[in-house]
Amino acid sequence: GESVGLHLPTLSVQEGDNSIINCAYSNSASDYFIWYKQESGKGPQFIIDIRSNMDKRQGQRVTVLLNKTVKHLSLQIAATQPGDSAVYFCAENSLGSWGKLQFGAGTQVVVTP
Amino acid sequence: GAVVSQHPSWVICKSGTSVKIECRSLDFQATTMFWYRQFPKQSLMLMATSNEGSKATYEQGVEKDKFLINHASLTLSTLTVTSAHPEDSSFYICSASRNTGELFFGEGSRLTVL
């Protein structure tokens, strides 16, 4: 079936460097995408979202890029900090099914000093 | 602070018993809540959509008689894992949508079945 997936299961980043986390999706009906951060034993924490009518959105230290042509989503974290160490998930929401999210596999980000 | 609360945050039970997990929206009403399951080092998988005042909608492969969902009020949905077995051990997470469209997740409930 259609799914959201990630290219890299683990990303090791040096403190202060930029991180890029990638996500591929296959459901062309998806119109809303969200990035979540999950720390061990906790629920997902919203980071940033983007609608399908946009290709870029910026937040505080984070940027999400959406390429609908190749069905690709990325999360960029600037000046990665130790507190950014967590698992990051992309999630998609299809038009007409608000709130029903399909999550990608997740990427473990490890920030090294 | 949290706007969606889950209780208990963790529970250990014996095989064959039933366990109830609550999901509450703390400062808003949620006609729809969602239940997810997450196995260790895996992603979140949507189990069901909980609808206030009506039956829950289950995703393919999720046994409705195994995972009973009750959405009795606009601020509370409960998930009951009936006759739990070790393979039901997982992290159960709920989410709720405010009428503004914002989605909020609970902190999750870890179930361990011995």
Side-chain angles (χ1 to χ4, degrees):
Chain A
E2 295 181 310
S3 64
V4 179
L6 293 173
H7 298 302
L8 297 172
T10 303
L11 179 66
S12 184
V13 182
Q14 194 159 13
E15 182 178 356
D17 287 352
N18 297 335
S19 303
I20 299 177
I21 307 166
N22 295 302
C23 180
Y25 68 95
S26 57
N27 188 350
S28 57
S30 296
D31 66 336
Y32 178 58
F33 304 87
I34 314 169
W35 280 100
Y36 287 97
K37 172 186 180 182
Q38 187 180 32
E39 297 175 331
S40 182
K42 296 186 177 181
Q45 176 187 351
F46 174 90
I47 300 174
I48 193 168
D49 59 359
I50 189 168
R51 294 203 173 274
S52 59
N53 60 353
M54 302 172 69
D55 53 21
K56 181 179 180 179
R57 191 156 188 237
Q58 289 185 292
Q60 187 177 12
R61 284 203 304 122
V62 295
T63 301
V64 55
L65 299 177
L66 175 63
N67 186 331
K68 295 181 289 295
T69 302
V70 296
K71 296 189 178 67
H72 184 267
L73 191 69
S74 69
L75 176 70
Q76 300 176 3
I77 305 173
T80 312
Q81 302 169 1
D84 294 327
S85 293
V87 178
Y88 290 80
F89 293 97
C90 64
E92 62 174 323
N93 198 136
S94 298
L95 182 66
S97 59
W98 181 252
K100 293 177 63 173
L101 300 181
Q102 187 169 8
F103 282 79
T107 294
Q108 174 79 57
V109 173
V110 178
V111 182
T112 58
Chain B
V3 294
V4 174
S5 173
Q6 286 187 236
H7 178 81
S9 56
W10 60 270
V11 56
I12 301 172
C13 71
K14 292 182 179 180
S15 186
T17 61
S18 294
V19 174
K20 180 184 287 187
I21 300 170
E22 295 183 346
C23 177
R24 293 182 184 274
S25 55
L26 298 182
D27 61 354
F28 66 96
Q29 294 181 333
T31 56
T32 304
M33 293 183 177
F34 303 90
W35 286 97
Y36 295 82
R37 178 169 53 184
Q38 185 179 31
F39 292 110
K41 298 194 182 301
Q42 293 189 28
S43 188
L44 285 75
M45 295 296 293
L46 179 66
M47 298 175 66
T49 303
S50 175
N51 304 297
E52 190 271 334
S54 64
K55 291 183 179 180
T57 306
Y58 291 82
E59 296 300 301
Q60 190 172 8
V62 178
E63 301 175 58
K64 62 180 181 181
D65 295 331
K66 172 76 172 177
F67 300 98
L68 301 179
I69 292 173
N70 187 343
H71 197 147
S73 78
L74 287 170
T75 60
L76 174 65
S77 174
T78 60
L79 169 68
T80 301
V81 183
T82 62
S83 186
H85 289 94
E87 58 265 30
D88 298 322
S89 297
S90 189
F91 196 45
Y92 292 88
I93 307 170
C94 71
S95 71
S97 177
R98 216 196 275 259
N99 58 8
T100 56
E102 295 172 273
L103 281 168
F104 298 96
F105 279 85
E107 286 295 334
S109 299
R110 183 164 301 283
L111 170 64
T112 301
V113 184
L114 303 177

